[in-house]
């Protein structure tokens, strides 16, 4: 029986460069965002597995004997497949989730049950534990919230079932798993993402697992060698958008004007590759003179994304507001609203950052001061967590 109280955390992600062009085989850079999802793991009542996801209104508890019986019934259906529709149907029926339900609470519950039963079937018994997950990441904003959830779940369940070590020694505040163990965590997190999204690229869970920055091109994911941690403002315009519609619009424009649009895509690809070179050449603590070229990349790419048709008046406003404070911004993700990122060079004064945040919030946007290039999945002693995180976990 699991006997320790610990916490696992994993970062969200933003696309630095390469949005939309990546769909057509170009390079994209994804970076870890230091807004994190936290999972608190506690010993549970013997024979009970409980999960609480206050962000999406889930609080469920199951008898472990019932879960073992369910696992036995679906074992044959899922054998040899990473994601079996018959097994998911059985899980939906067990959890009272309607067929085709796509609400976050339904998908989060389904992914939890799937990962718990699949991992325990391979590595050990269904654990008697209490799991609570709280996140700094907004859901549905293109910031990798579901992947951070899947990474935290994979790490916690693999650890409880004995598939990976518990690397945190007594007296330590934070620990990290070995490269081999991280690879296993990532593979299971990807399976959780498949339950939630159907056909994910694998980028979001890889960023959540390893942190830093990753290069993605035509299905190949490569971690960047060395990435500095950069301060940013992350702004959510709160304008909803459909990624599917935006991607289709870009495709239509390329088909209509190939001689005009293909060079734009090539330029976005070049920005991603140049940015990778700059980031890998920057010191761990870059000084202000390292930033102008990154700021120019932001400006150029934002114009390109507008040419592709994925801009939005809210994103134009975001760029105008930050430009009035001598800061440079671009959209991140699908565009058409959603989120934007603003570089904060190290010589940006706290009053200047605060003034920019106030002006952005006055537009009705939500704004966070955070970092990119953040560390990947981590194991923590609960006592080492910040007061804000501990308060959130206690209130949940």
């Amino acid at each position: 029986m699991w006997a320790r109280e610990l916490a696992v955390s994993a970062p969200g992600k933003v696309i630095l460069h390469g949005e939309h062009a990546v769909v057509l085989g170009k390079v994209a850079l994804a970076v870890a965002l230091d807004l994190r999802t936290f999972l608190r793991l506690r010993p549970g009542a013997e024979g009970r597995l409980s999960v609480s996801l206050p962000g999406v209104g889930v609080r469920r508890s199951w008898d472990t004997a019932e879960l073992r019986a369910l696992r036995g019934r679906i074992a044959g259906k899922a054998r040899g497949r990473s994601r079996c529709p018959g097994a998911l149907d059985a899980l939906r029926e067990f959890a009272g989730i309607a067929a085709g339900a796509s609400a976050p609470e339904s998908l989060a519950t389904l992914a939890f049950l799937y990962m718990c039963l699949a991992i325990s079937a391979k590595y050990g018994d269904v654990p008697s534990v209490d799991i609570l997950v709280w996140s700094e990441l907004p859901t549905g904003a293109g910031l990798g919230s579901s992947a951070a959830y899947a990474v935290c779940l994979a790490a916690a369940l693999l650890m409880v079932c004995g598939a990976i070590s518990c690397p945190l020694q007594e007296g330590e505040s934070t620990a990290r798993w070995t490269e081999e163990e991280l690879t296993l965590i990532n593979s299971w997190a990807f399976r959780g993402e498949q339950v939630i999204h159907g056909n994910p690229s694998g980028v979001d869970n890889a960023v959540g697992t390893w942190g830093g920055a990753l290069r993605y091109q035509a299905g190949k994911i490569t971690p960047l060698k060395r990435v500095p941690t950069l301060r940013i403002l992350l702004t959510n315009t709160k304008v909803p958008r459909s990624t599917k519609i935006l991607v289709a619009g870009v495709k239509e424009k390329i088909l209509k004007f190939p001689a005009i649009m293909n060079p734009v895509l090539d330029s976005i690809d070049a920005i991603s590759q140049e940015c990778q070179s700059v980031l890998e050449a920057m010191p761990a603590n870059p000084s202000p003179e390292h930033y102008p070229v990154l700021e120019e990349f932001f400006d150029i790419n934002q114009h390109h994304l507008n040419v592709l048709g994925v801009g939005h008046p809210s994103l134009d406003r975001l760029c105008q507001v930050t430009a009035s404070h001598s800061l440079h911004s671009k959209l991140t993700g699908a565009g058409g609203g959603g989120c934007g990122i603003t570089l904060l060079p190290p010589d940006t004064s706290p009053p200047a950052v605060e003034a920019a945040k106030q002006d952005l919030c006055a537009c009705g946007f939500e704004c966070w001061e955070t970092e990119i290039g953040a560390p990947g999945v981590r194991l923590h002693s609960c006592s080492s967590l910040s007061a804000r995180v501990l308060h959130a976990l206690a209130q949940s």
Side-chain angles (χ1 to χ4, degrees):
M1 180 178 168
W2 186 255
R4 297 180 70 178
E5 179 177 339
L6 294 170
V8 178
S9 77
K13 76 92 181 51
V14 292
I15 302 297
L16 196 60
H17 292 292
E19 296 92 340
H20 291 283
V22 70
V23 178
L24 298 144
K26 308 300 184 184
V27 173
L29 298 181
V31 291
L33 177 69
D34 204 21
L35 294 175
R36 303 179 76 85
T37 292
F38 293 85
L39 181 153
R40 188 189 67 201
L41 180 66
R42 279 180 172 171
E46 187 61 40
R48 301 296 297 178
L49 172 65
S50 301
V51 62
S52 180
L53 312 172
V56 292
V58 171
R59 192 178 292 272
R60 302 288 297 264
S61 181
W62 297 279
D63 182 86
T64 55
E66 283 185 41
L67 291 173
R68 277 194 294 273
L70 173 66
R71 187 179 68 186
R73 290 197 300 275
I74 66 177
K77 298 177 184 178
R79 188 167 291 119
R81 302 184 223 179
S82 66
R83 187 172 54 91
C84 174
L88 294 181
D89 288 343
L91 291 176
R92 283 191 192 93
E93 184 180 350
F94 174 80
I97 298 169
S102 59
E105 61 270 22
S106 300
L107 294 175
T109 302
L110 189 63
F112 177 84
L113 283 171
Y114 172 81
M115 292 176 71
C116 182
L117 296 194
I119 288 172
S120 67
K122 189 170 178 67
Y123 299 108
D125 200 2
V126 177
S128 297
V129 290
D130 290 339
I131 286 175
L132 185 149
V133 182
W134 173 80
S135 187
E136 297 171 322
L137 292 157
T139 57
L143 301 176
S145 60
S146 68
Y149 169 65
V151 169
C152 286
L153 270 186
L157 292 169
L158 287 165
M159 187 172 62
V160 167
C161 290
I164 60 176
S165 67
C166 176
L168 193 71
Q169 303 301 316
E170 286 296 332
E172 288 184 336
S173 58
T174 305
R176 187 155 169 77
W177 288 276
T178 66
E179 194 65 23
E180 185 179 355
E181 290 171 326
L182 290 173
T183 300
L184 187 61
I185 290 169
N186 185 56
S187 67
W188 279 101
F190 180 66
R191 290 171 69 165
E193 278 277 84
Q194 286 181 305
V195 172
I196 295 170
H197 290 297
N199 188 30
S201 68
V203 169
D204 288 13
N205 51 275
V207 173
T209 301
W210 279 285
L214 301 174
R215 172 190 170 118
Y216 179 79
Q217 184 177 26
K220 185 181 179 185
I221 299 170
T222 311
L224 270 61
K225 295 186 191 77
R226 192 171 55 102
V227 185
T229 301
L230 305 177
R231 289 170 64 218
I232 64 159
L233 283 181
L234 172 72
T235 303
N236 186 358
T237 67
K238 301 185 184 177
V239 174
R241 73 276 186 267
S242 164
T243 300
K244 188 176 179 181
I245 290 171
L246 288 160
V247 169
V250 171
K251 187 176 179 183
E252 185 182 335
K253 211 168 219 187
I254 293 165
L255 290 172
K256 190 175 180 181
F257 305 115
I260 298 169
M261 303 310 294
N262 284 324
V264 176
L265 296 171
D266 289 341
S267 182
I268 291 173
D269 183 64
I271 290 169
S272 295
Q273 298 195 56
E274 289 287 327
C275 185
Q276 176 181 344
S277 299
V278 170
L279 289 175
E280 290 185 329
M282 286 173 80
N285 296 303
S287 54
E289 65 266 22
H290 292 101
Y291 278 75
V293 66
L294 295 179
E295 292 174 334
E296 286 193 80
F297 290 161
F298 266 39
D299 295 341
I300 298 167
N301 202 358
Q302 178 62 23
H303 289 304
H304 285 344
L305 290 162
N306 280 327
V307 170
L308 290 180
V310 297
H312 189 272
S314 64
L315 293 164
D316 293 340
R317 183 73 186 127
L318 188 162
C319 291
Q320 290 162 1
V321 167
T322 56
S324 72
H325 295 276
S326 302
L327 298 171
H328 300 254
S329 304
K330 66 175 286 291
L331 69 83
T332 182
C339 291
I341 50 177
T342 305
L343 270 178
L344 296 176
D347 58 349
T348 311
S349 70
V353 174
E354 198 54 43
K357 285 169 68 175
Q358 287 180 7
D359 286 352
L360 289 166
C361 291
C363 297
F365 304 155
E366 192 172 10
C367 200
W368 299 267
E369 186 179 348
T370 184
E371 294 177 338
I372 53 176
V377 65
R378 291 283 190 267
L379 184 63
H380 310 265
S381 66
C382 287
S383 61
S384 71
L385 298 174
S386 72
R388 189 174 68 84
V389 173
L390 284 173
H391 179 73
L393 293 171
Q395 297 300 307
S396 301

